[in-house]
Amino acid sequence: MTTIHYRQPVFFVSHGGGPWPWMPDYLNTVYANLAQSLGDLLDSVLVRPKAILMISAHWETPEFTVQTALQPDMIYDYGGFPAHTYQVRYESSGSPELAERVVALLEQANIAVATDAQRGYDHGMFSPMQVINPAADIPVVQLSLKKGLDPQQHIAMGRALAQLRDENVLIVASGLSYHNLRMFNAHAAEPSRAFDQWLFETVVEQQGSERNERLNQWELAPAARIAHPREEHLLPLMVAVGAAEGEQATRNYHEAKFMGGLSVSNFAFGELKATS
């Protein structure tokens, strides 16, 4: 029998606001296009992954830290939402085996790494995963960002984890391409459009060292600090780029009038199913 090798792709996705998948008025209106894109994600890969490694904007630690619990609890890291959204569950298991592999790969790359057996799933994980895989039958492990939010360190971390893709692990980086909560309306139309265009030119039209360098200097992009007053929601993209360093990216989700006027995008790296 001939074995066909397949390297899992890498995704950078928007996780949306709070627990939106459990709020039908949001799910079917303002989030309808994002939900369609996330719902198509697993259908776009050629081989169903055995596990998912999720890098969420909502977890920062002094060193890169991997979640090791077999059955992580839920962290309701949002406020002002309906009472029922503080009871939602995403019941996937964790994977101590994958956590151990992440530690080994980072240590081999001389990147300091810690483990956390108590850390639960935050909404940067469970909100998109509720739409990506509502059956929750694929183990998911979260990996933190590193405080300081240095782009090069996160690109290097992604690079060290790229081998997981050859081991049937899907890497999903969860953030937002625009994250200025004080300017989340039509007033942000032009700055978000300018930054989103720069992001497309950087991520899709470049690759390798040139893409890395542009992302390392992301603060020089048009409207950069309007789009990201603090960059924790952009940094998961750096991990995705590091894990797919020499590969072409595609923009697999884009809206120009999200939330009344925002330009936002998601990206995929690597081989996907051909679409008709």
Side-chain angles (χ1 to χ4, degrees), residues 77-111:
D77 53 340
Y78 41 77
F81 289 92
H84 78 272
T85 65
Y86 298 88
Q87 305 295 326
V88 300
R89 305 290 303 178
Y90 186 77
E91 298 288 3
S92 71
S93 69
S95 173
E97 178 185 6
L98 174 56
E100 183 178 343
R101 183 70 177 130
V102 169
V103 169
L105 288 171
L106 293 183
E107 288 180 341
Q108 287 172 20
N110 296 313
I111 296 173

Side-chain angles (χ1 to χ4, degrees), residues 10-11 32 106 118-119 137 143 156 160 162 188 220-221 243 247 258 271 274:
V10 180
F11 294 93
L106 293 183
Q118 304 303 316
R119 171 75 185 188
D137 57 357
L143 176 63
L220 301 178
E247 295 174 64
F258 181 68
E271 184 181 1

Side-chain angles (χ1 to χ4, degrees), residues 123-145:
H123 86 268
M125 176 279 189
F126 63 74
S127 288
M129 285 306 305
Q130 174 66 17
V131 186
I132 291 170
N133 185 35
D137 57 357
I138 301 174
V140 183
V141 170
Q142 280 196 230
L143 176 63
S144 78
L145 302 176

